[in-house]
Amino acid sequence: MVGFSASVIRRQQFLVRCLGGYNNSSKNFCSTIRMVSSMSGGGPSLEVDALSILRSITPSLDNSRHKGQAGKIAVVGGCREYTGAPYFSAISALKIGADVSHVFCTKDAAPVIKSYSPELIVHPILEESYSVRDEDKNSISAKVIEEVDKWMERFDCLVIGPGLGRDPFLLDCVSNIMKHARQSNVPMVIDADGLFLVTNSLDLVRGYPLAVLTPNVNEYKRLVQKVLQCEVNDQDGTEQLLSLAKGIGGVTILRKGGSDFISNGETVSSVGMFGSPRRCGGQGDILSGSVAVFISWARQHAAKGELSMSPTVLGSIAGSVLLRKAAAFAFEIKGRSTLTADIIEHLGRSLEEFCPVSR
Amino acid sequence: MVGFSASVIRRQQFLVRCLGGYNNSSKNFCSTIRMVSSMSGGGPSLEVDALSILRSITPSLDNSRHKGQAGKIAVVGGCREYTGAPYFSAISALKIGADVSHVFCTKDAAPVIKSYSPELIVHPILEESYSVRDEDKNSISAKVIEEVDKWMERFDCLVIGPGLGRDPFLLDCVSNIMKHARQSNVPMVIDADGLFLVTNSLDLVRGYPLAVLTPNVNEYKRLVQKVLQCEVNDQDGTEQLLSLAKGIGGVTILRKGGSDFISNGETVSSVGMFGSPRRCGGQGDILSGSVAVFISWARQHAAKGELSMSPTVLGSIAGSVLLRKAAAFAFEIKGRSTLTADIIEHLGRSLEEFCPVSR
């Protein structure tokens, strides 16, 4: 994705101004957005100073804080087939510093996810079609949303999709959860089968500025086809990403790849530093859990009027660079053997390097 | 909580005398209660010499002892939703030095809690309403108490509440367990949803000197509202804590916070040393399991006439300072990534530092 146009540069300058504005109101923030020469195109790069952004939104820790103030995250995912993905997402949130991490999954998946870690709170409330009679669907669907609603207002961010599967009844229930999250103004990071759901039901997120979509190559392709009704064009990739985000009403899109590109239809940023050549499955789950935490932190600043830029964009940038650093650390030690759990074990070390506790 | 009054100081002096009395009959005990200047108020601090208290009640180990003499603890908690909390509480008891640690939980929760550790004895005896027909409730309730009664007299302390949930039928069964524990003079540490139960049914603990309540900010607020029918007043926090403990007939209250405050209606002590700024969920479970062990140890001294002060107060102080030290150790190593399991891994090291095996 090397293309960019004059309008993109203008938007990029707007981003720099925004971040400069942020700088005025927060002593921790470094406004530098590096407009360095693009390696590929010879023009200005979209690479942002992701480390400064990460530092600016990561809260300092002190003894006056109570449980929950550093973030309460919930992952909606986990079914008969998939149990690892929601675990990776939820545990990553804790390892970064969230205080509480929940998982809402199917009854089959719950004991397994619980057994991975006693640190998670796992709610076995979802059902797949194979276990539900048609005449019970309405009542079960109502019960699912009732259970989630008990908790909804306590959550700072939801992650929708890791290990969700594609069962139609389950996806209907998850659509309801997303509608209620939106009514309650709870941000959502949407990945994996959550993107399958959203690509087929764009209204679930259209125009919701607190939604982040995190597509990989194939998921991005399907989104472009559905929204822009064309194929992915990497010659003009930046413009296309802007159009896509704008086309869904200003949601934030984190396009994963060799470099990650982030846009909410107003600006495009990229994060290309660090990373690993290992492509083991599960890294997207670390990203979704991480972005959820950083969004919740960024929104704490936003609530104090300290941000003039979207918390979903800042959270995506911070989540991206943290995963890339942790993956690099893990690869340094484990090489070809690197698994997702190895990367998760380096989230803490990476965050400490960027943002020491004692700063 | 900075306020205190002349009556509090008088009670504090009473505490010092009590501990001095204790000193006369136990060579291990150090009577120093430091009446140092308060950081916040300029007057005498309520900070006790928690380390000396911990040392005084921790038993020395020798080869003449049998299994069970260092403590048999049972946690009542664990339901379909929550399995981590009872595990944390029960395993913490073992890590500190209890010989045996049981968990009484629901049938759904048992296999998961068992899977966390083969060290625990897990009884799948509780039921939630969703799995019980109305006409079976009486017989199931009778069976639950029959099962627990088989064990009751062997336990040195119960922990009521970690991961208990709020199912009304389950809470009815737990109320019965509490009544039987009280009849058998078994101490109880009550936390989490156990506090929800007790706040709504104060008679379960009223006037029982072997009950310890361990409320966090929100649980404390609800207790104050219910018992004192007013709001929490931190300007006169010490007096309010005394009134609260007295208002429930002399139960011990361990109010958790930046500093922990402990009162049984006669004295107020605080423990503010060590600690960590990380507020991940689950630390309260470590505390409840730890306090249970220390109470059982303190009661062994009490049985020999070696204590002139409440074993529940001494156990609360020792549990508080041990958790704070372990949390500080874990945070030193893991920083923002610190999770509850990391803190549990440092319980042993902390206790060894305070109270070396070879002393």
Side-chain angles (χ1 to χ4, degrees):
Chain A
M1 200 197 293
V2 297
F4 62 88
S5 67
S7 66
V8 175
I9 297 174
R10 278 198 305 278
R11 288 192 190 96
Q12 200 63 38
Q13 286 163 343
F14 166 78
L15 166 65
V16 175
R17 284 197 306 277
C18 287
L19 291 166
Y22 179 81
N23 187 37
N24 294 336
S25 58
S26 169
K27 63 182 166 29
N28 290 327
F29 193 78
C30 164
S31 69
T32 321
I33 298 289
R34 286 183 300 160
M35 301 289 277
V36 298
S37 293
S38 164
M39 295 288 287
S40 44
S45 163
L46 303 171
E47 183 85 10
V48 288
D49 184 354
L51 297 186
S52 293
I53 288 172
L54 180 147
R55 287 184 191 114
S56 73
I57 59 180
T58 301
S60 56
L61 293 177
D62 67 70
N63 288 328
S64 68
R65 296 172 74 93
H66 301 305
K67 183 171 81 173
Q69 289 185 316
K72 298 182 293 296
I73 305 301
V75 177
V76 180
C79 62
R80 189 165 58 162
E81 262 180 327
Y82 307 114
T83 51
Y87 161 75
F88 288 141
S89 185
I91 200 78
S92 296
L94 286 180
K95 292 273 184 180
I96 290 171
D99 286 340
V100 182
S101 189
H102 291 242
V103 176
F104 291 88
C105 62
T106 70
K107 289 173 179 173
D108 293 328
V112 178
I113 299 172
K114 284 168 184 283
S115 76
Y116 293 146
S117 169
E119 312 276 356
L120 305 177
I121 299 169
V122 182
H123 306 265
I125 60 158
L126 298 174
E127 302 258 17
E128 291 178 83
S129 301
Y130 72 86
S131 65
V132 179
R133 290 183 306 179
D134 278 351
E135 59 267 38
D136 295 335
K137 283 188 172 167
N138 283 344
S139 67
I140 289 173
S141 180
K143 211 173 157 190
V144 167
I145 196 68
E146 187 188 320
E147 286 291 320
V148 178
D149 275 350
K150 282 184 199 164
W151 294 93
M152 187 67 86
E153 300 219 336
R154 306 188 211 180
F155 293 134
D156 298 304
C157 191
L158 298 186
V159 180
I160 308 279
L164 195 59
R166 297 187 176 184
D167 179 77
F169 174 67
L170 185 146
L171 292 184
D172 275 352
C173 291
V174 174
S175 298
N176 280 338
I177 293 172
M178 292 177 71
K179 287 174 194 161
H180 282 229
R182 197 169 165 165
Q183 283 161 14
S184 300
N185 237 25
V186 176
M188 289 184 271
V189 180
I190 298 152
D191 190 39
D193 288 323
L195 289 172
F196 170 81
L197 171 60
V198 159
T199 304
N200 293 321
S201 309
L202 284 164
D203 284 344
L204 288 170
V205 293
R206 198 191 301 279
Y208 186 47
L210 296 177
V212 176
L213 316 185
T214 56
N216 62 18
V217 174
N218 287 324
E219 291 155 348
Y220 188 75
K221 186 176 160 191
R222 284 194 291 270
L223 266 175
V224 167
Q225 287 168 341
K226 187 66 185 276
V227 178
L228 303 179
Q229 286 164 0
C230 65
E231 293 303 315
V232 172
N233 170 9
D234 275 337
Q235 287 310 303
D236 201 15
T238 315
E239 273 301 329
Q240 196 172 47
L241 177 61
L242 272 168
S243 304
L244 182 64
K246 205 181 291 175
I248 319 177
V251 302
T252 295
I253 296 175
L254 194 178
R255 181 188 181 185
K256 298 181 284 195
S259 285
D260 297 331
F261 286 82
I262 295 116
S263 178
N264 63 348
E266 291 290 328
T267 61
V268 179
S269 316
S270 79
V271 181
M273 48 170 52
F274 313 117
S276 137
R278 186 76 168 95
R279 291 286 173 269
C280 53
Q283 295 183 55
D285 306 314
I286 302 178
L287 183 67
S288 62
S290 307
V291 169
V293 176
F294 284 116
I295 288 175
S296 76
W297 290 346
R299 288 191 86 210
Q300 293 180 357
H301 291 283
K304 294 180 207 154
E306 292 172 356
L307 286 186
S308 55
M309 200 187 165
S310 152
T312 51
V313 169
L314 296 175
S316 298
I317 291 168
S320 166
V321 75
L322 185 71
L323 168 61
R324 299 174 76 95
K325 181 66 180 175
F329 267 145
F331 188 73
E332 212 174 281
I333 294 167
K334 297 274 185 162
R336 294 177 192 275
S337 271
T338 307
L339 299 187
T340 298
D342 300 315
I343 301 173
I344 289 172
E345 278 314 299
H346 286 89
L347 287 171
R349 180 183 165 195
S350 305
L351 193 52
E352 179 62 22
E353 181 160 313
F354 294 156
C355 209
V357 165
S358 56
R359 76 198 161 110
Chain B
M1 200 197 292
V2 297
F4 61 89
S5 67
S7 66
V8 175
I9 296 174
R10 280 198 304 277
R11 288 191 190 96
Q12 198 64 38
Q13 286 163 344
F14 166 78
L15 166 67
V16 175
R17 285 196 305 276
C18 288
L19 290 165
Y22 178 83
N23 189 35
N24 294 335
S25 58
S26 168
K27 63 179 167 31
N28 289 328
F29 192 79
C30 166
S31 68
T32 321
I33 298 289
R34 286 183 299 160
M35 301 288 277
V36 298
S37 291
S38 164
M39 296 288 284
S40 43
S45 163
L46 303 171
E47 184 87 10
V48 288
D49 184 353
L51 297 186
S52 293
I53 289 173
L54 180 148
R55 286 184 191 115
S56 72
I57 60 180
T58 300
S60 57
L61 293 177
D62 66 69
N63 289 328
S64 69
R65 295 172 74 93
H66 303 303
K67 183 172 84 174
Q69 289 184 317
K72 298 182 293 297
I73 305 301
V75 176
V76 180
C79 62
R80 188 166 58 160
E81 261 180 329
Y82 306 114
T83 51
Y87 162 74
F88 287 141
S89 185
I91 200 76
S92 296
L94 287 180
K95 292 272 185 179
I96 289 172
D99 287 339
V100 182
S101 190
H102 291 243
V103 176
F104 292 87
C105 62
T106 70
K107 289 175 179 171
D108 293 329
V112 177
I113 298 172
K114 287 168 184 281
S115 78
Y116 293 145
S117 169
E119 314 277 357
L120 305 177
I121 300 168
V122 181
H123 306 263
I125 60 158
L126 298 174
E127 301 259 16
E128 291 177 84
S129 301
Y130 73 86
S131 65
V132 178
R133 290 182 307 180
D134 277 352
E135 58 268 37
D136 295 335
K137 284 187 173 167
N138 283 344
S139 66
I140 288 173
S141 180
K143 209 172 157 193
V144 167
I145 196 68
E146 189 189 319
E147 286 291 319
V148 178
D149 275 349
K150 284 184 197 165
W151 295 92
M152 187 68 87
E153 299 218 338
R154 306 189 211 179
F155 293 134
D156 298 304
C157 191
L158 298 187
V159 180
I160 308 279
L164 195 58
R166 296 187 177 185
D167 179 76
F169 175 67
L170 186 146
L171 292 183
D172 275 352
C173 292
V174 173
S175 299
N176 281 336
I177 294 172
M178 292 178 71
K179 286 173 194 162
H180 283 229
R182 197 169 166 167
Q183 283 159 15
S184 301
N185 237 25
V186 176
M188 289 184 273
V189 179
I190 298 152
D191 190 38
D193 288 324
L195 289 172
F196 170 81
L197 171 61
V198 159
T199 304
N200 293 321
S201 308
L202 284 164
D203 285 343
L204 288 171
V205 292
R206 198 191 303 278
Y208 186 47
L210 295 177
V212 176
L213 316 186
T214 56
N216 63 18
V217 174
N218 287 324
E219 291 155 349
Y220 188 76
K221 186 176 161 192
R222 284 193 290 268
L223 266 175
V224 167
Q225 286 169 341
K226 188 67 186 277
V227 178
L228 303 179
Q229 285 162 1
C230 64
E231 293 304 314
V232 172
N233 169 10
D234 276 336
Q235 287 310 302
D236 201 16
T238 315
E239 274 299 328
Q240 197 172 48
L241 177 61
L242 272 167
S243 305
L244 182 64
K246 206 180 290 173
I248 318 177
V251 301
T252 295
I253 296 174
L254 195 177
R255 182 189 181 184
K256 299 180 283 195
S259 285
D260 297 331
F261 287 80
I262 295 117
S263 178
N264 63 348
E266 291 292 329
T267 60
V268 179
S269 315
S270 80
V271 181
M273 48 171 51
F274 313 118
S276 136
R278 185 75 168 98
R279 293 283 173 270
C280 51
Q283 296 184 57
D285 306 313
I286 302 178
L287 184 68
S288 63
S290 307
V291 169
V293 176
F294 284 115
I295 288 175
S296 75
W297 290 347
R299 288 191 85 211
Q300 293 179 357
H301 292 283
K304 295 180 205 156
E306 292 172 357
L307 286 186
S308 55
M309 200 184 163
S310 153
T312 51
V313 169
L314 296 176
S316 298
I317 291 167
S320 165
V321 76
L322 185 71
L323 168 61
R324 298 173 76 96
K325 180 66 180 174
F329 267 146
F331 188 74
E332 212 175 281
I333 294 167
K334 296 275 187 161
R336 295 177 190 274
S337 271
T338 308
L339 299 188
T340 298
D342 300 315
I343 301 173
I344 290 173
E345 279 313 300
H346 286 89
L347 288 171
R349 180 186 168 195
S350 304
L351 194 50
E352 179 62 21
E353 180 159 314
F354 294 157
C355 209
V357 165
S358 58
R359 75 195 161 113

